[in-house]
Amino acid sequence: MADEQKGFRLSRRLVLGAAVIGGAVLWGGTTMARLARGPSGPKNAGRIADIDGIALPLKPIASPPVFDPLLPWSAKGGDINDASGLSRTPVYGVVEVSEEDHVAKALAFARANGLKVSLAAIRHSMGGHAFDDNALVLDLKKFNKVTVDAAAKTMTLQPGARWHDIQNLLHPRFAVKAMQSTDIFSVGGSLSVNAHGMDHQAGSVAGSIRSMRVMLADGSVTTCSATENSELFRHVVGGYGLFGVVLEATLDIVDNAVYRTSREIIKSDDFPKFFAEVLEPNKDIGLFYGHLSTAPGNFLEDMIVYRYDKVAEEPPADQPDIGEPGSVGLKRVIINLAKWGSVFQELKWFTEKTLEPKFENCTVARTAAMAQGEACLVTRNNPMHDSVPYLFNDLNDETDILHEYFIPRAAYVEFITEAREILRNQSLPVLNASVRIVHKEDVALTYAPEPAYSLVLYINQPTDADGNAKMRALTRALIDVTIKHGGRFFLPYQLHYTAKELQASYPELPAFLAAKRHYDPTELFSSTFYRGIKALSGVA
């Protein structure tokens, strides 16, 4: 009898243990699958409805005008959101632009019916920059033609063209001169924020523009450049779509040079010296990327410096198509696990520091460019052709938010020291941190009135009220330390700043808003962002 009871107890323990283990395996498998899964649709988690306590939503139009049947509407009414998922906004309608005449007719319809107009494409700005309550939104994604003039080394393109597609068109002979470090954005969006990226010599996109054709609020079309109608040019570039619709832009392109890739780990505090002694004087370093550790053990202390040294002006004739990112599911899991705490953040840093170099994709035959032996060789297009699919997920109760802060170069070490303490003493997971080089930018609402370094952060937050409150508090703390050191924050992101912070960072704002009223007296072009900065500036 005792033996039977012992056997029963043993069997029950085995069953219970097997159930626990099986449940853990099932949970683990289900969890990993969820973390690896790509987005099933855009995130749409509500709306951050104020800027510094000023309410942003507007009342619906009492008697909305009848939709013009001659316009290509893709939506009549409804809501729209951006990449944050936290800017859900009701709009009058969306016109799907594919030709210049659509723009002219849509603006005329809006003027005749008292509607505001917003300009949208990929919508990766995160504070209602591409739409507004009750606005007629021009969706420019299909307004995307590109032509290349090989002799002049230029391309002329419409604003909806995506950098990803442009690179495929230019490859293998040519490459983009200036764009963001990822290629998911539209040209129009990049022009509107004066984007910058991996080419520390080329600087921002503004420096690559030969000319632009712009349709103003009254329907007239004008050409502008750094030397022709230069004041309009300075306000359209970095003007957040508030001065007119860019119908086409002619940009410089460059040779698709071959680079030898390398990386080294330095201390973050040593970066200014590294830039001055290594990066800046060496004109053959065509691209650069500085990736800071976000692991708790050396948070923002160690930096991986990725550099690309030119070894040939042109790639071999048999250069293959540009490859798409690999191991997307695994990379997505690693990034999503990093949101769960220090162990996984250390794992992510170990992967970046130790494992990534072993899987580097060397796309040019090692003997094809100046006999570099065992060097890893790539063309310029390869590192710039990253659409970062691994950053997008199906976790709908959270979102990932970009920040960028521009610091005068002499203040870098002191700024990073204080920013490090702010970020360590808050609870939102910092998923990525990098350092970029920016030059003095001669645009009306400049983020860099002098040469600067920028700190780019990618931070996760819950999409509930508590998550929004924590992100707002963190943003303001980082803006304050940036201002303390003579820097500025980038405007394409969430509207978490105060009137005092905005005015301190952008003393040119009153002149910018005055120019807006000069070129667009009826304020036809609008956005939630525009109403927000206008309210914080004290302009009625």
Side-chain angles (χ1 to χ4, degrees):
M1 187 69 175
D3 290 340
E4 289 179 4
Q5 288 178 340
K6 183 178 179 181
F8 174 75
R9 287 198 300 271
L10 184 61
S11 300
R12 185 169 61 184
R13 288 172 183 167
L14 283 172
V15 170
L16 182 59
V20 170
I21 293 170
V25 170
L26 180 62
W27 177 87
T30 303
T31 300
M32 290 301 106
R34 183 171 65 92
L35 296 181
R37 191 164 56 232
S40 56
K43 294 188 180 184
N44 196 14
R47 181 177 191 179
I48 298 171
D50 78 283
I51 181 169
D52 199 13
I54 300 170
L56 292 169
L58 299 175
K59 293 180 180 179
I61 301 172
S63 300
V66 175
F67 292 96
D68 184 344
L70 300 179
L71 285 172
W73 300 98
S74 62
K76 297 178 178 180
D79 295 334
I80 197 169
N81 213 321
D82 57 33
S84 74
L86 295 170
S87 302
R88 185 167 62 213
T89 300
V91 298
Y92 169 76
V94 180
V95 171
E96 189 174 67
V97 174
S98 58
E99 57 189 64
E100 188 172 316
D101 190 52
H102 293 158
V103 180
K105 288 180 177 177
L107 297 190
F109 176 77
R111 289 194 302 271
N113 291 279
L115 295 171
K116 300 297 184 183
V117 175
S118 298
L119 313 180
I122 310 301
R123 304 201 304 274
H124 271 281
S125 292
M126 295 182 168
H129 298 68
F131 42 82
D132 198 9
D133 296 69
N134 311 319
L136 186 162
V137 178
L138 300 183
D139 182 349
L140 301 166
K141 287 194 295 294
K142 293 186 177 180
F143 193 39
N144 60 1
K145 293 178 183 175
V146 182
T147 58
V148 177
D149 185 335
K153 281 193 175 181
T154 62
M155 58 181 176
T156 299
L157 30 71
Q158 295 173 332
R162 289 191 318 148
W163 295 110
H164 190 83
D165 301 324
I166 292 165
Q167 289 174 318
N168 285 330
L169 178 65
L170 294 176
H171 191 77
R173 177 66 185 84
F174 295 111
V176 172
K177 180 179 180 180
M179 54 170 265
Q180 290 97 317
S181 60
T182 61
D183 63 7
I184 58 179
F185 308 99
S186 69
V187 170
S190 297
L191 296 175
S192 76
V193 303
N194 191 27
H196 61 96
M198 294 175 68
D199 190 325
H200 58 289
Q201 297 184 54
S204 73
V205 68
S208 71
I209 304 171
R210 295 278 184 98
S211 66
M212 300 184 295
R213 288 180 61 245
V214 180
M215 184 174 290
L216 301 178
D218 62 3
S220 63
V221 177
T222 188
T223 299
C224 63
S225 69
T227 56
E228 180 183 4
N229 292 320
S230 59
E231 275 306 298
L232 177 62
F233 177 83
R234 292 180 68 251
H235 285 85
V236 172
V237 180
Y240 296 90
L242 297 173
F243 289 81
V245 183
V246 175
L247 301 174
E248 64 180 21
T250 299
L251 307 181
D252 291 324
I253 56 178
V254 296
D255 293 322
N256 187 26
V258 177
Y259 296 128
R260 179 179 65 251
T261 71
S262 63
R263 66 179 75 193
E264 60 185 288
I265 298 177
I266 66 172
K267 288 297 181 183
S268 172
D269 286 358
D270 294 335
F271 176 70
K273 183 173 184 287
F274 183 88
F275 175 72
E277 295 180 359
V278 179
L279 290 178
E280 190 170 35
N282 189 342
K283 301 307 178 185
D284 282 334
I285 301 177
L287 302 174
F288 146 80
Y289 184 65
H291 180 63
L292 290 162
S293 169
T294 54
N298 55 3
F299 185 74
L300 301 192
E301 292 178 2
D302 286 351
M303 174 192 288
I304 305 175
V305 175
Y306 302 80
R307 55 184 277 186
Y308 297 81
D309 292 74
K310 184 167 64 177
V311 297
E313 293 292 344
E314 298 178 18
D318 60 351
Q319 182 65 15
D321 293 342
I322 320 173
E324 300 298 328
S327 305
V328 172
L330 176 60
K331 291 178 182 177
R332 187 180 286 126
V333 166
I334 291 171
I335 288 169
N336 287 332
L337 282 174
K339 302 167 185 177
W340 289 10
S342 59
V343 171
F344 296 107
Q345 289 164 345
E346 294 286 356
L347 172 64
K348 177 175 175 288
W349 177 242
F350 172 79
T351 301
E352 293 161 349
K353 183 175 63 173
T354 307
L355 299 183
E356 278 188 0
K358 301 182 186 303
F359 297 97
E360 192 160 22
N361 187 18
C362 306
T363 58
V364 180
R366 290 184 172 92
T367 58
M370 298 182 66
Q372 289 298 311
E374 289 304 306
C376 180
L377 304 181
V378 298
T379 73
R380 181 182 178 91
N381 281 328
N382 295 116
M384 296 178 74
H385 194 69
D386 187 357
S387 53
V388 290
Y390 40 85
L391 295 184
F392 307 113
N393 56 59
D394 206 31
L395 308 175
N396 290 316
D397 57 349
E398 62 174 54
T399 188
D400 303 320
I401 302 299
L402 275 165
H403 298 232
E404 187 163 6
Y405 304 95
F406 302 92
I407 304 300
R409 292 180 184 174
Y412 170 85
V413 173
E414 293 81 2
F415 166 77
I416 287 289
T417 298
E418 294 187 43
R420 182 185 298 123
E421 290 309 304
I422 291 169
L423 290 162
R424 272 179 171 162
N425 292 301
Q426 57 86 44
S427 59
L428 298 179
V430 180
L431 303 179
N432 197 58
S434 61
V435 173
R436 311 275 172 78
I437 309 298
V438 293
H439 306 297
K440 180 179 179 179
E441 293 296 333
D442 184 23
V443 297
L445 204 59
T446 181
Y447 50 72
E450 62 181 290
Y453 301 127
S454 77
L455 174 66
V456 184
L457 301 169
Y458 197 53
I459 303 175
N460 178 256
Q461 68 156 92
T463 54
D464 58 14
D466 183 59
N468 291 333
K470 287 179 178 177
M471 186 64 79
R472 176 164 289 189
L474 174 59
T475 303
R476 291 180 177 182
L478 290 169
I479 290 174
D480 286 342
V481 75
T482 300
I483 293 169
K484 173 183 174 182
H485 291 287
R488 301 187 174 197
F489 66 97
F490 207 10
L491 289 169
Y493 304 126
Q494 287 180 305
L495 310 182
H496 282 330
Y497 37 87
T498 67
K500 182 179 178 181
E501 289 170 333
L502 176 64
Q503 293 166 17
S505 281
Y506 290 94
E508 306 88 353
L509 184 60
F512 176 85
L513 295 174
K516 158 70 174 172
R517 294 189 295 275
H518 169 74
Y519 288 106
D520 182 10
T522 64
E523 297 178 295
L524 179 75
F525 298 110
S526 189
S527 64
T528 305
F529 163 75
Y530 173 60
R531 288 194 296 110
I533 63 171
K534 190 170 71 164
L536 295 191
S537 74
V539 176

